[in-house]
Amino acid sequence: MNIKALSVAAMLCLATPLHAQTADDAIQAYRDGDYAQALAISRPLANSGDAVALNMMGILYENGLGVPADGFRAASYYQGAADQDLPQALNNLADHYLDGWDGQEPRPDLAIPLLLRAEGMGYAGVYNNLGVSYFEGHFGTPDSRRAMEYFRRSHEAGYVDGTANVAWMYAHGEGVAEDQIEARRYYVLAHENDGPLWALENLADMWREGEGGPVDLSQAVALYEEAAERGSAYGANWLGYYYDNGEGGLPVDYERAVAYFQLAAEQGSTTGYYNLGSMYEGGRGVEEDAEMARHYYQLAADQGDAEAAYELAIMYWHGQLGYVDEIEARRMMELAVDREAELAFGDLGLMLRNGVGGGRDLLRAAEMFERGLAENDSLAFVNMGEVVSDPAFPDHDPVRGLALCLRAVEITTNEERQAQYVRRCNRLARVLSPAQQSDARAMVGSL
């Protein structure tokens, strides 16, 4: 999770206006969720130059509440209020510059003077953004210790984003010794005070993993449910996983799993896309549909997912879409390897060895299988043995090739696979003399 600069709740810690009561009404309407009323009250006041109303208009436009989201108009309203030294507006405008908006690059150089002005006025709401600025190095070299100081000050002043960021710093050992117990304690405090969504997700993870306290999957599930209700694709994916696998105290319920994965996918979640692809491929909770599986795997792969690229490669290679496309299969397998998909290395090795989707390349095939040797993967030993035994391999060594194959027989515990390996080793042994076969057997122990 990334440290968040400021939540909408923090933006709304507005000083009680000393002038028109209608400004109070606008703030109350916002807090009640009546954004149309907040807009109706704020607009004429903002037009007359009321600083609090200008700040409120900025909040509405920044978050698209009652009006279309418009970062430029939000910045303009914040600027109008900041020009009157309203500290909340100084902070909100600085936050705008820290994040960038509507395609604009972040401008911490413009944000820092605004934050310091607000701090000089004694406005505690600025502490969290100052903490973020020290953490990210906007004052020069990143300074986690100073960042932690400001996050603590923000927490102590009652700002829940500061509380959440203190938790994050403890969890990651930034600016303070790592302390998962303290991290969980602060995340709990943030949750009790309606903290940011990312902090809720992190707290759920801590219950799931047993960080800072005992494992409690039922508590984790409850928090993921709360997160999903608040629009968390991350929480929805975890709930989908639990219903798909019958874990976390939940029953196997494929239809509910699909519903949660769909909820995540509708938010553009890469994991949601991949999970939906898996459900359609396996026909779990939906009718089996290879084309729909391909569609969702492709959406995930387009967002950089390694496993989705691998699944697409397999679908094209094995004809799961009703046709075989070896060229596309190899392209996707190469992509999966580039992204470090674990299973892709061995399969790309096979493609390179056998010329699937392109020319043979035994050297690269050996590189792919080498990874499996390091992990003591029996299949990698057999495949490497066959490559090394191939007369076209530049470092052709049939004795070593047989030794590698025999090593696979030795380390596998699966009887069916062992029998398959023996047959493959026998084919390699046929071209060797009895003395060479003996040399190969002697070599096995050194592999």
Side-chain angles (χ1 to χ4, degrees):
M1 295 298 157
N2 293 324
I3 288 182
K4 300 285 283 187
L6 190 67
S7 70
V8 172
M11 290 181 186
L12 285 173
C13 293
L14 304 173
T16 302
L18 302 177
H19 42 284
Q21 179 62 39
T22 50
D24 279 330
D25 294 339
I27 293 169
Q28 189 58 52
Y30 183 99
R31 289 173 173 159
D32 292 341
D34 190 346
Y35 305 125
Q37 180 69 1
L39 178 68
I41 296 170
S42 297
R43 193 188 297 277
L45 289 170
N47 289 339
S48 67
D50 183 288
V52 174
L54 286 164
N55 186 59
M56 175 60 75
M57 291 294 290
I59 293 170
L60 294 172
Y61 272 103
E62 178 166 7
N63 296 285
L65 301 172
V67 290
D70 187 330
F72 287 99
R73 295 191 72 173
S76 177
Y77 281 116
Y78 288 146
Q79 186 67 65
D83 289 343
Q84 299 180 53
D85 280 333
L86 184 72
Q88 296 90 343
L90 290 166
N91 190 42
N92 291 345
L93 183 58
D95 187 57
H96 220 45
Y97 281 128
L98 287 173
D99 289 343
W101 74 91
D102 293 356
Q104 301 299 298
E105 290 295 321
R107 291 293 305 275
D109 57 313
L110 298 179
I112 296 303
L114 298 168
L115 295 176
L116 294 177
R117 276 171 61 193
E119 183 184 22
M121 298 168 67
Y123 178 57
V126 79
Y127 295 151
N128 191 65
N129 268 342
L130 283 169
V132 171
S133 296
Y134 275 109
F135 183 84
E136 295 183 351
H138 297 326
F139 287 93
T141 303
D143 189 336
S144 295
R145 184 186 61 80
R146 289 294 301 279
M148 185 62 160
E149 290 175 2
Y150 274 104
F151 291 145
R152 284 191 187 280
R153 291 172 70 182
S154 178
H155 160 70
E156 289 164 1
Y159 290 88
V160 70
D161 286 300
T163 306
N165 285 336
V166 168
W168 191 95
M169 299 291 274
Y170 271 117
H172 294 85
E174 292 281 357
V176 68
E178 181 180 331
D179 188 332
Q180 297 300 329
I181 294 175
E182 279 294 273
R184 183 185 283 202
R185 184 171 76 84
Y186 277 101
Y187 276 134
V188 168
L189 288 173
H191 177 231
E192 290 173 348
N193 289 280
D194 299 321
L197 182 56
W198 64 266
L200 173 59
E201 294 168 343
N202 284 0
L203 179 58
D205 288 346
M206 297 191 87
W207 284 108
R208 188 188 81 241
E209 297 291 338
E211 295 174 331
V215 170
D216 189 333
L217 290 182
S218 63
Q219 181 68 18
V221 167
L223 293 175
Y224 286 133
E225 287 176 341
E226 182 180 340
E229 289 172 0
R230 289 176 58 182
S232 167
Y234 184 77
N237 274 316
W238 269 110
L239 290 168
Y241 169 83
Y242 285 133
Y243 278 115
D244 190 19
N245 294 278
E247 297 181 14
L250 298 178
V252 172
D253 188 330
Y254 295 139
E255 290 185 0
R256 293 192 73 175
V258 167
Y260 277 114
F261 291 147
Q262 184 69 53
L263 182 63
E266 287 170 357
Q267 298 176 63
S269 165
T270 301
T271 304
Y273 290 145
Y274 177 87
N275 288 334
L276 273 180
S278 174
M279 301 303 279
Y280 275 105
E281 184 178 15
R284 303 191 309 280
V286 288
E287 186 176 347
E288 184 177 337
D289 189 326
E291 179 53 36
M292 286 296 289
R294 184 210 63 77
H295 168 72
Y296 283 112
Y297 284 146
Q298 188 66 61
L299 288 174
D302 288 345
Q303 293 188 8
D305 190 86
E307 301 304 326
Y310 175 74
E311 295 297 342
L312 286 169
I314 294 297
M315 295 185 85
Y316 286 119
W317 191 10
H318 294 175
Q320 291 173 225
L321 294 165
Y323 59 89
V324 172
D325 187 337
E326 291 187 351
I327 293 175
E328 185 64 6
R330 180 148 159 182
R331 185 182 77 83
M332 295 305 300
M333 197 68 77
E334 291 272 13
L335 186 61
V337 163
D338 288 344
R339 295 173 178 174
E340 297 285 319
E342 183 178 352
L343 296 177
F345 288 88
D347 282 331
L348 180 58
L350 292 175
M351 289 179 157
L352 293 164
R353 187 188 74 186
N354 299 322
V356 174
R360 298 183 78 209
D361 188 335
L362 295 180
L363 278 176
R364 277 202 72 216
E367 291 175 8
M368 297 298 107
F369 296 140
E370 192 74 41
R371 185 183 179 102
L373 300 188
E375 298 172 358
N376 218 33
D377 177 8
S378 62
L379 184 56
F381 275 95
V382 174
N383 288 331
M384 180 67 91
E386 291 175 342
V387 167
V388 170
S389 299
D390 193 312
F393 185 63
D395 295 324
H396 173 59
D397 186 345
V399 173
R400 181 169 180 269
L402 177 58
L404 287 162
C405 189
L406 292 172
R407 174 63 175 161
V409 175
E410 183 178 272
I411 64 177
T412 188
T413 58
N414 183 296
E415 291 184 4
E416 182 178 346
R417 181 169 288 186
Q418 189 175 62
Q420 179 194 104
Y421 292 168
V422 167
R423 291 193 293 272
R424 293 171 72 172
C425 291
N426 287 339
R427 287 196 292 271
L428 298 180
R430 289 188 193 121
V431 301
L432 301 180
S433 68
Q436 289 175 312
Q437 293 179 32
S438 179
D439 289 343
R441 285 191 290 272
M443 190 185 295
V444 172
S446 64
L447 296 175

